[in-house]
Amino acid sequence: MVLAYETATDVCSVSFQDNSGEIFEKRIQGRSVHSDNLFLFTSELMSEHSFQMKDVKAVLVSNGPGSYTGLRIAASAIKGILFGLDTPLFEVNTLAGFAKGVSGIGESTRIHAVIDARRTHVYHQLFSTEGGFSSISQLMIKEIAEVESEFETGEILIGTGINRFSKSSLSEVKTFDSEFISASNLIRLFEEETSNTFCKEVSVEELNPNYITSNQVNNSAS
């Protein structure tokens, strides 16, 4: 049994994988939805699938980059949920989770994952599905124009802030917006042979989400 949390954007998603491998999800999208729904979704999944936290073999949490509020709420909630338990906890690269959610769609094996970082920037990382799921580039803050210059015809773009890209650049790629952001993607990523590249086991005390800050954006622009 695996439980996963995705709160890095305005999507609040909690997913559960049972012992048969089937995945179930509770999801809502909007402003300020995380604090009201994260515990609720967890409780509903526990009730509907008759499990307790002590039965869970691993907990996955999307740890950024992303919004301060969503990531902080998830980190705080998990500290409470796992209190007194020895359940393995894994923090997962958010952009890798995005990319995994659309892997295998279309002919291209290259996936650009982005999160809006305000101003003229996005967080960006490029992934490949050729010969297995892997990262091609490091996670970085980049100018939108710089990311656009890296697009090749037919490649995939997923994430938030896509509407800030130029129409001409978007015509080159296949786009997927926040509707494809889900905690279920974290579970699928966790099952990959390369999962240790993107999923890092940490103690509850060590859980430290990768927030987007204005200083990070300013430093990248200097």
Side-chain angles (χ1 to χ4, degrees):
M1 295 183 183
V2 179
L3 198 60
Y5 295 87
E6 174 57 79
T7 64
T9 65
D10 62 354
V11 172
C12 177
S13 171
V14 182
S15 293
F16 168 71
Q17 184 182 50
D18 65 16
N19 285 329
S20 71
E22 190 170 359
I23 299 175
F24 306 88
E25 181 192 19
K26 301 285 184 178
R27 185 185 189 278
I28 189 172
Q29 183 173 356
R31 292 178 59 87
S32 305
V33 297
H34 304 90
S35 59
D36 291 336
N37 292 283
L38 194 143
F39 280 110
L40 174 63
F41 288 166
T42 302
S43 178
E44 289 178 345
L45 286 168
M46 292 174 66
S47 176
E48 292 170 9
H49 300 284
S50 302
F51 72 94
Q52 299 179 26
M53 285 307 304
K54 64 181 179 63
D55 302 321
V56 175
K57 304 304 181 185
V59 172
L60 316 177
V61 57
S62 177
N63 79 315
S67 75
Y68 172 81
T69 301
L71 293 173
R72 175 181 57 82
I73 289 172
S76 297
I78 287 169
K79 290 177 187 294
I81 290 170
L82 295 183
F83 180 78
L85 299 175
D86 294 325
T87 306
L89 171 64
F90 295 83
E91 55 182 21
V92 184
N93 177 336
T94 296
L95 293 182
F98 287 9
K100 182 58 185 175
V102 293
S103 62
I105 298 177
E107 297 181 0
S108 178
T109 60
R110 290 164 58 94
I111 304 170
H112 297 266
V114 297
I115 287 183
D116 192 351
R118 299 181 294 273
R119 297 184 63 187
T120 59
H121 298 79
V122 290
Y123 268 88
H124 171 267
Q125 193 166 8
L126 180 60
F127 299 88
S128 171
T129 60
E130 185 174 3
F133 188 86
S134 63
S135 59
I136 297 176
S137 69
Q138 296 296 313
L139 191 160
M140 295 180 64
I141 297 177
K142 293 183 178 180
E143 290 273 358
I144 291 174
E146 181 181 357
V147 177
E148 290 176 336
S149 70
E150 298 177 17
F151 290 163
E152 296 182 8
T153 301
E155 291 182 341
I156 294 171
L157 172 65
I158 180 174
T160 65
I162 290 177
N163 61 337
R164 301 176 63 212
F165 287 75
S166 68
K167 291 183 178 179
S168 59
S169 69
L170 293 180
S171 68
E172 296 291 318
V173 295
K174 186 175 181 63
T175 60
F176 296 89
D177 60 18
S178 56
E179 291 185 10
F180 291 83
I181 296 173
S182 168
S184 300
N185 300 335
L186 306 183
I187 297 176
R188 297 184 180 101
L189 183 64
F190 188 64
E191 295 176 331
E192 284 281 339
E193 291 184 1
T194 55
S195 65
N196 61 344
T197 304
F198 310 106
C199 306
K200 176 186 176 183
E201 185 170 4
V202 296
S203 68
V204 172
E205 295 76 20
E206 291 172 327
L207 183 60
N208 185 28
N210 182 15
Y211 306 121
I212 289 176
T213 69
S214 58
N215 285 338
Q216 286 175 297
V217 175
N218 291 338
N219 289 338
S220 73
S222 61

